[in-house]
Amino acid sequence: MSTFSVLFLARKQYRAFVGTILLTPFLMLITAAFFPGGVLGSFEAMRVNLGIFSDKYIMGSEGLTYNCSLWGWMRVISCWIFPPSGFTALGAIQLYYRAFALLFFAAVTWAVWFRKLEIWRQLALVTFSILLLPEVSFDYKMIHLLFPILALLG
């Protein structure tokens, strides 16, 4: 949810922005302290599990059926263009995709911060970024689309 903190910048609520940025890692540390092994054990388990997750869902084919991100489309296209080695070709373009995603989100941040857009348009830009830019974005995250819809209706 820290991604939505960009909206605080647009509304010039700098204290709320800084509070969100500081509160997120603090809550993460507090939560990790309650798991077996404490904070260090939790982060080590998270590192191991994220490695497995990356192999299976980001670079592998297991997450394609639940994915709504642009990276998922790139995986499908790479397998179609390079049939025998589709998933192995992804490693070469992953860095470029991450650079594209970072630049795209920087452009969205700029548009939300400096352009005078209605709140529902700001929410839509940030929500589309949340859904499309990560390498894996499961379909349950599409519930976030309700935020701009409700802002438009309300």
Side-chain angles (χ1 to χ4, degrees), residues 70-71 74 93-101 132-135:
L70 293 176
W71 180 252
M74 290 180 68
I93 60 173
Q94 186 178 25
L95 182 62
Y96 297 111
Y97 178 79
R98 288 180 176 174
F100 162 77
L132 296 175
L133 295 180
E135 292 159 331

Side-chain angles (χ1 to χ4, degrees), residues 1-141:
M1 290 306 240
S2 291
T3 310
F4 283 114
S5 65
V6 170
L7 298 173
F8 290 136
L9 292 176
R11 296 173 153 230
K12 296 184 178 17
Q13 297 174 338
Y14 302 116
R15 186 176 296 158
F17 175 76
V18 171
T20 302
I21 298 302
L22 294 177
L23 189 63
T24 301
F26 176 73
L27 291 176
M28 221 170 108
L29 286 172
I30 294 294
T31 305
F34 287 106
F35 284 106
V39 174
L40 293 178
S42 295
F43 284 123
E44 177 61 24
M46 185 169 60
R47 187 189 63 77
V48 168
N49 289 334
L50 283 176
I52 296 168
F53 180 86
S54 176
D55 290 343
K56 290 182 180 258
Y57 288 95
I58 294 176
M59 300 308 281
S61 62
E62 295 186 24
L64 285 177
T65 54
Y66 314 108
N67 198 359
C68 61
S69 73
L70 293 176
W71 180 252
W73 282 98
M74 290 180 68
R75 290 190 296 177
V76 170
I77 290 170
S78 72
C79 287
W80 183 60
I81 293 174
F82 310 108
S85 63
F87 287 117
T88 57
L90 287 174
I93 60 173
Q94 186 178 25
L95 182 62
Y96 297 111
Y97 178 79
R98 288 180 176 174
F100 162 77
L102 181 67
L103 290 173
F104 188 85
F105 190 70
V108 166
T109 301
W110 179 87
V112 166
W113 196 353
F114 293 112
R115 304 272 323 252
K116 298 296 179 197
L117 299 172
E118 296 93 354
I119 188 66
W120 74 268
R121 289 180 193 261
Q122 292 174 345
L123 279 167
L125 282 172
V126 173
T127 302
F128 294 154
S129 297
I130 289 171
L131 293 174
L132 296 175
L133 295 180
E135 292 159 331
V136 176
S137 181
F138 293 115
D139 52 1
Y140 69 85
K141 288 176 65 176

